[in-house]
Amino acid sequence: MNTTEDRVTYKSTTTVTGGSLLDLQPEQRANALRGAQILAKALKAEGVDVLFGYPGGANLEIFDALPGFGIRCVRTEHEQGAVHAAQGFARATGKVGVCLATSGPGATNLVTGIADANSDSTPIVCITGNVPSHLLGKNAFQEVDIVAITQPITKRSYLIKRVTEIPEVVREGFALAGGNRPGPVLIDIPKDIQQHYPKDAGGNYIPPQIPAVVECPEPGIGGLTSLQLSEACRLLGQAERPVIYAGGGIVSADCAKQLLTLAEKLDCPVTTTVMGHGAFPPDHSLALHCLSMHGSKYANVAINEADVVLAIGVRFDDRVTGKPETFIEHGQIIHIDIDRNELNKNKPVTLAACADLAIALSQLTDCIETSDHMPWVSYLNTLKAEYPFEVPETAAISPQFAISLLSDVTNGDAIISLGVGQHQMWAMQHYRSRRSHSFLSSSGFGTMGYGLPAAIGAKVAEPERQVIDVDGDGSLNMTIQELATCGRYGIGVKIVVINNQWLGMVRQWQDMIYDGHRAGSGMADPMAVKSADELDIYPDFPTIAAGYRVKAERVTDPQELPAAYERMLADPSEPYLLDVIVEAEENVYPMIPAGGSYKDIIMDSEGMESVLKGTQGANV
């Protein structure tokens, strides 16, 4: 594995547990593994065959070691792209995604993605190189205490102090990232540890045990207790107007089938959060689609008029509850979640249970009696017919039409990733995902720029599926350099830009709250000289894509959009950008104003005009 010479780039300091190759007994040197190689071997033992990263001085040892263990690195154009790609990989597969960055700014460029993964319970392991151990805390070049920075936003952040720790830390870190409630883990490895060989005080090489044997880092969580199960079944059995409120926990636990079975036995309507999008068949008679600030009126009415709500794998986010004290004000609530810290945190409930969702759903299905709630379901179906998500018929392309058509031409079977803003909400409303792990949205943290790199990670994970980044012009502009990653590696991501020349959601709030003072929300070029009827689109995404050697076109006529989609989707392995110019002033409806209740829902522009200025915005 090694030559008889070291490639040490600093003054090496030998310790009792690690040192240079020359510190080992001569006969043991040929097959010895240094820290970076031990890391690569440990990653391989965890099933890692691809990761996303960016090289720099403090992680070159790791980059050098990866190919020898069959691990491919997709080099992104920015470390934020790497961590979002790891998230996309994880969200599309349920496996742990991995990213790799250097020290200092490389490490801090991961922080937004780590916080995003923490908010949306995404299993990722972020590996950072750091300066040699003897320089830690001395403000060395590109040194930062990334462990301290990330501790509040990870399940655990590790600083490896001895080369012998690597196998155990990797094993434990992966178990934490994917265990119970998934989330991010950070492993920081100083460069001397990467170059050290494990040894004892006599210079004898100590072969690492890979995979390491470690204690389970989290207590196991089982199903409902007998008391919890009997009480849940009693409440559901007495319900006349039940609703199931399902979130991202259903996707993480891979129990969408159990959810469907339970709902059908209960004859119980189901609404999902954005994180739960795709976990319930969208064309099912019990489907209420998404609730929340921009969710369906029928879902928001249903959950607030229900007498029993079964909340599964949700956290009662403020974008769902609005004003917590008036949310499900009169109904009884059963809340089941893998994370006991979420129970009774944002909303007091009738019955709280910390349990494995897959086990709990099976228990409930076996326990409850078959029910019939025809009057309730019929009432909600009437609301569905009366208040559908509207698709405006306009001379120009409406964003709702663009996404609804995309849903139709892909039959809801594509993996969809999203930026953040109006397009994200329109996609939630109009793209009807038919598969779990297929709607990748930065939901809790709301990270603009998430869409393209997340799509890259998803496409690397699922090369045979169509992967489409439905993005806004503002969000895409934040990580557009990742088109180079698509072009360089031939990653067949499709990008549909819902281009309205605004930071659309910001502009909508400004019109609603700030008397139309559109400060800083325009995307168009203010210096452009053009006639009143001239179309001047800025930035020019097709030209930018051409610079990255990615095929692209622009469409402005709704009649031309079906053929444009056909061209875009023709070759699933080919990256392609479609710049869809949509109605610039379109707003997202329905809308429950921040801090309001479902009774305050705004269905159209006339309703928006009736909102009193200054009464909204406390929680924009």
Side-chain angles (χ1 to χ4, degrees):
M1 297 292 291
N2 295 292
T3 66
T4 57
E5 295 183 359
D6 282 314
R7 293 175 296 178
V8 178
T9 56
Y10 57 90
K11 182 179 179 181
S12 178
T13 302
T14 298
T15 68
V16 173
T17 57
S20 70
L21 187 64
L22 296 179
D23 290 323
L24 302 183
Q25 298 294 340
E27 66 276 11
Q28 298 176 326
R29 296 172 186 170
N31 295 314
L33 299 179
R34 64 188 184 276
Q37 294 171 314
I38 293 169
L39 172 67
K41 186 174 181 179
L43 292 175
K44 193 67 176 180
E46 297 296 333
V48 177
D49 53 22
V50 63
L51 54 76
F52 307 88
Y54 201 92
N59 67 5
L60 289 181
E61 283 288 332
I62 302 170
F63 266 84
D64 185 67
L66 294 175
F69 293 87
I71 298 176
R72 179 167 64 110
C73 179
V74 175
R75 197 207 80 193
T76 56
E77 297 305 302
H78 190 283
E79 291 88 354
Q80 184 175 347
V83 66
H84 289 328
Q87 289 178 271
F89 180 97
R91 292 276 294 273
T93 63
K95 300 177 182 178
V96 177
V98 183
C99 61
L100 173 61
T102 191
S103 62
T108 56
N109 281 341
L110 298 178
V111 170
T112 295
I114 293 172
D116 192 286
N118 185 61
S119 186
D120 284 348
S121 304
T122 305
I124 60 172
V125 170
C126 304
I127 300 168
T128 52
N130 212 330
V131 300
S133 300
H134 69 278
L135 293 178
L136 292 174
K138 296 185 178 180
N139 199 23
F141 177 68
Q142 290 193 335
E143 183 219 345
V144 74
D145 189 350
I146 193 62
V147 170
I149 289 171
T150 57
Q151 277 178 341
I153 53 172
T154 57
K155 293 187 74 172
R156 185 163 177 184
S157 292
Y158 297 88
L159 172 63
I160 294 184
K161 298 180 179 180
R162 290 176 292 275
V163 66
T164 51
E165 297 174 357
I166 293 174
E168 290 187 2
V169 167
V170 170
R171 187 68 167 161
E172 184 174 283
F174 272 76
L176 275 173
N180 289 354
R181 180 177 182 171
V185 167
L186 180 126
I187 301 174
D188 192 36
I189 311 179
K191 189 160 186 177
D192 57 323
I193 304 300
Q194 299 171 35
Q195 295 184 325
H196 273 178
Y197 294 81
K199 69 176 188 65
D200 63 18
N204 295 297
Y205 175 67
I206 303 176
Q209 181 178 352
I210 298 175
V213 177
V214 299
E215 293 183 7
C216 184
E218 294 180 301
I221 295 178
L224 301 171
T225 67
S226 58
L227 287 176
Q228 290 169 340
L229 181 60
S230 62
E231 180 64 5
C233 289
R234 184 187 70 81
L235 291 170
L236 290 169
Q238 294 177 351
E240 296 181 356
R241 302 184 307 280
V243 164
I244 293 175
Y245 159 38
I250 295 291
V251 178
S252 295
D254 283 319
C255 54
K257 290 182 180 179
Q258 292 98 314
L259 173 65
L260 175 60
T261 301
L262 176 63
E264 290 182 335
K265 188 172 184 181
L266 269 176
D267 193 30
C268 179
V270 177
T271 182
T272 69
T273 65
V274 179
M275 290 295 295
H277 199 286
F280 195 79
D283 51 0
H284 197 285
S285 60
L286 295 173
L288 296 176
H289 310 118
C290 285
L291 79 170
S292 76
M293 175 182 281
H294 294 292
S296 69
K297 179 170 183 175
Y298 43 87
N300 283 299
V301 168
I303 199 167
N304 282 284
E305 293 187 359
D307 57 0
V308 176
V309 174
L310 176 58
I312 314 172
V314 298
R315 57 189 181 88
F316 291 88
D317 176 76
D318 63 279
R319 282 303 192 257
V320 169
T321 64
K323 192 176 181 180
E325 53 267 33
T326 61
F327 183 66
I328 318 179
E329 189 171 11
H330 305 294
Q332 295 178 299
I333 304 171
I334 304 165
H335 187 192
I336 306 173
D337 199 87
I338 193 76
D339 184 357
R340 67 178 66 254
N341 294 318
E342 292 295 343
L343 303 175
N344 288 308
K345 184 178 80 172
N346 294 329
K347 177 71 181 179
V349 301
T350 310
L351 174 63
C354 178
D356 181 295
L357 299 190
I359 298 174
L361 286 173
S362 295
Q363 288 176 301
L364 288 169
T365 302
D366 292 340
C367 173
I368 61 168
E369 299 291 333
T370 301
S371 302
D372 182 350
H373 297 106
M374 183 180 297
W376 173 236
V377 174
S378 178
Y379 164 66
L380 295 180
N381 283 335
T382 300
L383 290 181
K384 285 167 69 174
E386 188 174 355
Y387 299 107
F389 289 123
E390 298 286 353
V391 178
E393 295 183 6
T394 58
I397 301 173
S398 75
Q400 299 94 326
F401 170 73
I403 296 170
S404 179
L405 178 62
L406 182 66
S407 182
D408 289 343
V409 299
T410 60
N411 196 33
D413 194 52
I415 295 175
I416 299 295
S417 71
L418 302 158
V420 170
Q422 287 181 316
H423 68 279
Q424 179 189 29
M425 296 297 96
W426 284 316
M428 175 193 75
Q429 296 173 349
H430 295 281
Y431 195 91
R432 297 298 171 89
S433 292
R434 300 182 183 279
R435 296 173 64 174
S436 196
H437 292 286
S438 297
F439 197 79
L440 317 184
S441 165
S442 171
S443 301
F445 210 54
T447 303
M448 292 178 68
Y450 173 91
L452 176 54
I456 289 171
K459 185 65 175 180
V460 169
E462 300 284 355
E464 301 305 314
R465 292 187 66 186
Q466 290 280 12
V467 178
I468 305 170
D469 170 30
V470 176
D471 225 325
D473 44 329
S475 277
L476 178 60
N477 218 28
M478 287 194 170
T479 50
I480 192 161
Q481 71 276 0
E482 298 306 336
L483 285 175
T485 309
C486 297
R488 179 179 294 108
Y489 293 98
I491 300 171
V493 167
K494 315 300 182 182
I495 303 101
V496 175
V497 189
I498 304 299
N499 192 340
N500 59 11
Q501 293 288 278
W502 289 100
L503 300 177
M505 192 62 80
V506 174
R507 192 268 309 152
Q508 181 169 337
W509 280 103
Q510 288 172 326
D511 288 355
M512 177 180 176
I513 303 168
Y514 299 100
D515 294 315
H517 298 161
R518 298 179 174 184
S521 55
M523 289 291 290
D525 179 6
M527 305 302 291
V529 178
K530 60 184 181 68
S531 60
D533 59 349
E534 182 182 355
L535 185 66
D536 179 68
I537 303 300
Y538 184 85
D540 188 342
F541 288 119
T543 298
I544 294 171
Y548 289 117
R549 300 177 186 171
V550 170
K551 278 189 178 181
E553 63 174 296
R554 175 176 292 148
V555 60
T556 59
D557 187 335
Q559 300 299 319
E560 298 173 356
L561 190 55
Y565 278 153
E566 184 177 352
R567 291 188 293 272
M568 179 186 77
L569 297 170
D571 183 356
S573 66
E574 178 183 60
Y576 201 108
L577 183 147
L578 184 62
D579 192 19
V580 183
I581 309 304
V582 300
E583 286 278 3
E585 301 286 323
E586 190 69 32
N587 286 333
V588 181
Y589 301 112
M591 177 181 179
I592 298 175
S597 78
Y598 78 106
K599 295 178 181 178
D600 302 313
I601 196 165
I602 300 167
M603 297 300 294
D604 51 34
S605 57
E606 291 181 6
M608 181 72 81
E609 291 173 0
S610 69
V611 176
L612 296 176
K613 305 296 181 183
T615 61
Q616 302 300 330
N619 190 23
V620 173

